[in-house]
Amino acid sequence: MARIAKSPRFCCCLLSVVFVSQFVERVCGVWPLPQEIQQSAESSGLSPQLFTFTYSQDSAAQAGCSVLDTAFKRYFSIIFPDFTKDALHDMWLEPKAFVLSVSVKTRGCDGYPDEDSDESYNLSVSEGQAVLRSVTVWGALRGLESFSQLVYRDDYGAYFVNKTEIVDFPRFAFRGLLLDTSRHYLPLHAILKTLDAMAYSKFNVFHWHIVDDPSFPYQSRTFPDLSKKGAFHPFTHIYTQSDVMRVIEHARMRGIRVVPEFDSPGHTQSWGKGQPDLLTPCYKGSKPSGTYGPVDPTVDTTYRFMERLLKEVKFVFPDSYVHLGGDEVSFACWQSNPSVGKFMEKMGFGRDFTKLESFYMESIMNITAALNKTSIVWQDVFDYHERPRSQYVVEVWKQGCYLCEMRRVTKAGLKVILAAPFYLDLPIPTQNWARYYGVRPLAFRGTEEQKKLVIGGEVAMWGEYVDATNLNPRLWPRACAAAERLWSNEEKTLNADLAFPRLEEFRCELVRRGIQAEPLFVGHCKHEFNGL
Amino acid sequence: MARIAKSPRFCCCLLSVVFVSQFVERVCGVWPLPQEIQQSAESSGLSPQLFTFTYSQDSAAQAGCSVLDTAFKRYFSIIFPDFTKDALHDMWLEPKAFVLSVSVKTRGCDGYPDEDSDESYNLSVSEGQAVLRSVTVWGALRGLESFSQLVYRDDYGAYFVNKTEIVDFPRFAFRGLLLDTSRHYLPLHAILKTLDAMAYSKFNVFHWHIVDDPSFPYQSRTFPDLSKKGAFHPFTHIYTQSDVMRVIEHARMRGIRVVPEFDSPGHTQSWGKGQPDLLTPCYKGSKPSGTYGPVDPTVDTTYRFMERLLKEVKFVFPDSYVHLGGDEVSFACWQSNPSVGKFMEKMGFGRDFTKLESFYMESIMNITAALNKTSIVWQDVFDYHERPRSQYVVEVWKQGCYLCEMRRVTKAGLKVILAAPFYLDLPIPTQNWARYYGVRPLAFRGTEEQKKLVIGGEVAMWGEYVDATNLNPRLWPRACAAAERLWSNEEKTLNADLAFPRLEEFRCELVRRGIQAEPLFVGHCKHEFNGL
């Protein structure tokens, strides 16, 4: 029997996209907002004892599918947090069976999500059953997440889900989140927790800015000295090969790609400790000053080292993308070094060091291309040479007119990722989530072809002031604002006032799931962090 | 045998106050900086098995002293985190006994700290022993904290403490921290954890802004409807009498006073839900608008209610101070209400509503005076009538020229607490700890008598954007900057650059003790939050 929930949890309705039947008081939302969602007030009770996930007969994925079997286990606990075998919440209700059947069109349970992965899904919830259809297992994961957000409890603790129809797909294929594990080391548990929260918000790329000037925590099998000498601590503050595999598998289970960044030629001070001849010796007058600058782009040993390192990276990280950095190279040290000067002369670069940097980046990108990887670079690389010789993806990070840059990059025919307005670590008022929500990534003048080159956006959490103590409240729920911008239809989600109560509700849901998501404003959650 | 630690932990020395022997490489600090500290490089090894806290024969406090017995237990775990009965860290060293003997001049193990409590102590650490002398148990607690910060470990995990002489006392008697449990409910565990961290920084007043407009979580025995109807949730989001007692006892054990604030006549919207005729009905034209304003100061029932409530407060909270609020009263509702108008006329207040507010506050302060309590009020109360009729303590909170206000208040002969520059919840760059460190509370023109009226300062963590998810990283280590300003000699602690490495070291110590204290800048701690 379909019945009206006696006391639906507090939540808001997005009237413009919600079908309101005559019985409804309030209906509940999904964050980020699905492309199309229709909900009615008719609800089904859910009994943990009689709830089943199943594969439909026509599904290409069946029992034994690692990604979905694991997701069923995970989402059962999320949907029914208080479930124990003995619990019988519905003592005074006749418990009814509910089946969520999943149908996936293509196989791929053992693969990795990638840039072309289809994440669309359709979800139809009616009395006693829900049908989830998707092209890939990754789309099925997105649908399971949406279903888990539809389930709510009344004041008696009973579970309900309203009749709902969802047609959903992401606006952008690349919805990234950057963590910086060099300026502060982030313990594995902090990274895994972030991946959990990313999945709740439908982020799908973990951009692992794994090394930088301050430390080199990646334990390379080819060059073990890099972390041995370049990490904050050679045993405790490193990521072993096994740690990295664990991160990649945890991410895969959630449909999240792991794109590592090995930023060079700048931001490499920590590399120099374990790889002595890699960096450029800086000069004071005619003598070496004892300090080092960016990677030395004038010697063959550099390229042989980078090739071996990138070969290892290709082997360890399955994603087809690799981030090569290329940002913020200071030319002062190169300028001071006489053999760099000779090289410049030989190459005919004059005194234009941007040409030297471009020469270096082109060489590195040739290495990755030969390894069959797509390179992402920070916008500096494009800015030096707007007529790119090779195909690469540009990440726009500089504050200021980032839309102007988007226009230039796409005009040059390159794919682009927008990070500039999503720098969540910047020391601005931390509560200002609407600032991220109001970003319009395509609001530049350009052709349809240009707009298609915008493959997505990325939240950046740089590590100068962030470690495991404050990572989560800084990220969540502000990153959720970006998540909705990158997943949902912009026309339906422009109004931050309408989004506010939905986001408040979602942040309480994150808190309930153990994510330390900070409050948006005065109020409370039924479950407070770490319990009452 | 005294020996040099082979690998003292990284820490900085404050050379100006440290005695550097010829053997020392680095010596370690205490936060906040003691008034006088002399350290040498000679160190004693400490073995958990052979370490003893003891009461010296001449001590007024002896075994059975609740405050110190509990402190010995607590600090043993803090000093020796890895101690188990079977552990024997010093297998290759001959373990030596170490005795820390405590001598307290006056009894008072079962009392509460108060405004006149003497917190001074002398600590003398030499080979195999330390002697801690204080006037009160509260001073002994401060000395135990300092001792715990002196102990360090070498790379083999062995414990050491250097020969040290400390003469110490607080600069200000009132070193407060405000938590706001109305805008967001803070679970008991969050409050207790904050008290722990306060003790590490030698804060000594917990200002509990327990109720306000959004919610009334204090469960009153006299007026149970206040929380039943005014809390976010009548059972989960409240502080029972037992909760309050637990907070007070937890604080007492750490030498921390608990000063509750029952802010009126403004900031009382939540009170009105459980106490129907308390608030002023606002009018629109000649009719009640259905909304309510501040407490109605024109009716006797208000004062009878406040008297009964404050009688309960006196009974529940042992501290001699009670905070009565009095800030940010909007006069619009009073202005709109015809019977308030008549009352104004009768009292000869004209249209000056500051007189009405003063009339109300005077009456409430008379009630607390009759209950033998000292009133603290926000500066608004003083600003309305700079010639106070009664003695009260003014808390300066308004941004702008807070030192001008300090001068005015002390000129009027009133005691004052400075909170304005210590609003840690304000949405400014969160990493800017030096801003709090640079505050100079006495830098106003005034007589010595006036300066003596500055009894201290207070860190304020308002709750608009803060709950259990982000409280700790927002408070710590920034509040530590204020703690040193309020405890230490200003002349020796004006330089933030010198303080920086000491504060970095102390924040790692807080992290080690389980406090989610955020990083100051790029770097790492030996122990990361929640483990590696």
Side-chain angles (χ1 to χ4, degrees), chain A residues 91-398:
Chain A
M91 281 198 301
W92 45 274
L93 279 180
E94 195 191 332
K96 287 227 171 189
F98 192 101
V99 178
L100 192 168
S101 86
V102 176
S103 175
V104 178
K105 214 167 188 174
T106 58
R107 290 158 186 266
C109 296
D110 301 316
Y112 291 91
D114 216 327
E115 57 174 332
D116 301 323
S117 297
D118 186 321
E119 293 174 283
S120 67
Y121 68 93
N122 290 0
L123 177 64
S124 172
V125 182
S126 52
E127 194 187 333
Q129 66 165 357
V131 178
L132 171 60
R133 293 188 178 282
S134 67
V135 179
T136 67
V137 291
W138 319 118
L141 289 177
R142 306 295 168 245
L144 288 169
E145 176 55 41
S146 294
F147 180 80
S148 76
Q149 293 186 25
L150 290 174
V151 177
Y152 59 95
R153 305 178 75 173
D154 67 9
D155 283 351
Y156 299 85
Y159 298 95
F160 296 92
V161 62
N162 284 29
K163 199 176 158 183
T164 305
E165 297 290 332
I166 293 179
V167 176
D168 204 9
F169 52 87
R171 178 184 181 197
F172 293 111
F174 191 107
R175 304 179 307 282
L177 188 151
L178 175 152
L179 291 185
D180 168 3
T181 57
S182 171
R183 291 182 174 83
H184 284 96
Y185 176 81
L186 293 173
L188 211 58
H189 63 76
I191 295 176
L192 301 181
K193 186 73 116 179
T194 301
L195 291 168
D196 293 348
M198 285 173 67
Y200 303 151
S201 294
K202 298 192 172 80
F203 279 104
N204 70 345
V205 182
F206 168 37
H207 173 172
W208 195 347
H209 187 83
I210 193 166
V211 297
D212 203 303
D213 282 328
S215 77
F216 197 105
Y218 173 74
Q219 191 178 41
S220 161
R221 59 179 88 179
T222 321
F223 301 103
D225 272 356
L226 288 171
S227 62
K228 202 169 164 190
K229 299 184 178 168
F232 284 132
H233 188 283
F235 294 112
T236 59
H237 288 63
I238 60 167
Y239 302 106
T240 64
Q241 293 288 316
S242 143
D243 291 338
V244 172
M245 278 168 59
R246 213 171 133 197
V247 167
I248 292 169
E249 185 62 3
H250 197 91
R252 186 181 86 84
M253 285 296 166
R254 286 152 184 81
I256 296 172
R257 302 161 56 188
V258 179
V259 174
E261 177 178 354
F262 286 83
D263 189 355
S264 73
H267 290 280
T268 47
Q269 287 294 303
S270 69
W271 304 38
K273 295 180 182 169
Q275 190 65 16
D277 294 327
L278 181 65
L279 304 187
T280 310
C282 313
Y283 276 65
K284 204 171 176 182
S286 61
K287 282 180 185 163
S289 67
T291 62
Y292 293 86
V295 162
D296 186 345
T298 70
V299 291
D300 286 348
T301 49
T302 288
Y303 299 98
R304 285 203 294 275
F305 165 80
M306 288 302 293
E307 188 169 8
R308 289 182 68 197
L309 181 67
L310 289 168
K311 262 188 186 159
E312 174 178 330
V313 168
K314 176 197 167 69
F315 186 81
V316 173
F317 294 90
D319 201 84
S320 67
Y321 281 28
V322 62
H323 203 305
L324 297 175
D327 58 320
E328 298 185 305
V329 180
S330 156
F331 297 143
C333 184
W334 281 348
Q335 256 163 350
S336 77
N337 182 302
S339 62
V340 172
K342 274 184 206 148
F343 185 82
M344 295 280 289
E345 211 172 298
K346 189 181 108 193
M347 301 296 287
F349 292 163
R351 297 298 288 166
D352 185 354
F353 285 90
T354 69
K355 286 186 176 153
L356 182 57
E357 146 126 34
S358 293
F359 169 81
Y360 172 80
M361 290 307 295
E362 287 285 344
S363 311
I364 302 299
M365 289 195 283
N366 286 341
I367 294 172
T368 51
L371 294 168
N372 246 331
K373 291 269 189 187
T374 302
S375 301
I376 315 185
V377 290
W378 296 108
Q379 72 178 79
D380 313 46
V381 177
F382 170 80
D383 291 349
Y384 288 145
H385 280 275
E386 296 204 6
R387 278 202 230 148
R389 268 176 250 164
S390 49
Q391 280 297 315
Y392 53 83
V393 180
V394 177
E395 182 157 9
V396 172
W397 68 275
K398 292 193 178 175

Side-chain angles (χ1 to χ4, degrees), chain B residues 172-207:
Chain B
F172 293 111
F174 191 108
R175 305 179 306 283
L177 188 152
L178 176 152
L179 291 184
D180 168 2
T181 57
S182 172
R183 291 180 175 85
H184 283 96
Y185 177 81
L186 293 173
L188 211 57
H189 63 77
I191 296 176
L192 301 181
K193 186 74 117 179
T194 301
L195 291 168
D196 293 349
M198 285 173 68
Y200 303 151
S201 295
K202 298 192 172 79
F203 279 104
N204 71 344
V205 182
F206 168 37
H207 173 173

Side-chain angles (χ1 to χ4, degrees), chain A residues 184 430 469 474 516 521 523, chain B residues 184 430 469 474 507 516 521 523:
Chain A
H184 284 96
T430 48
T469 62
R474 283 223 183 171
Q516 212 167 334
F521 196 53
Chain B
H184 283 96
T430 48
T469 62
R474 283 222 183 172
R507 100 94 187 169
Q516 213 168 334
F521 196 54

Side-chain angles (χ1 to χ4, degrees), chain B residues 124-173:
Chain B
S124 172
V125 183
S126 52
E127 194 187 334
Q129 67 165 354
V131 178
L132 170 59
R133 293 188 177 283
S134 67
V135 179
T136 67
V137 291
W138 319 120
L141 289 177
R142 305 296 168 245
L144 288 169
E145 176 55 40
S146 294
F147 179 81
S148 76
Q149 294 185 24
L150 290 174
V151 178
Y152 59 94
R153 306 178 75 173
D154 67 9
D155 283 351
Y156 300 86
Y159 299 95
F160 296 93
V161 63
N162 283 29
K163 199 176 159 185
T164 305
E165 296 291 332
I166 293 179
V167 176
D168 204 9
F169 51 86
R171 178 184 183 198
F172 293 111

Side-chain angles (χ1 to χ4, degrees), chain B residues 350-405:
Chain B
R351 297 296 290 165
D352 185 354
F353 285 90
T354 68
K355 288 185 175 155
L356 181 58
E357 146 126 35
S358 293
F359 169 81
Y360 171 80
M361 290 306 294
E362 287 285 344
S363 311
I364 302 299
M365 288 194 282
N366 286 340
I367 294 171
T368 51
L371 293 167
N372 249 328
K373 292 268 189 186
T374 302
S375 302
I376 314 184
V377 291
W378 296 108
Q379 72 179 82
D380 314 46
V381 177
F382 170 78
D383 292 348
Y384 288 146
H385 280 274
E386 296 205 5
R387 278 201 230 148
R389 267 175 251 164
S390 48
Q391 282 295 316
Y392 53 84
V393 180
V394 177
E395 183 158 7
V396 171
W397 69 274
K398 292 192 177 173
Q399 313 301 308
C401 184
Y402 55 81
L403 288 176
C404 310
E405 180 78 359

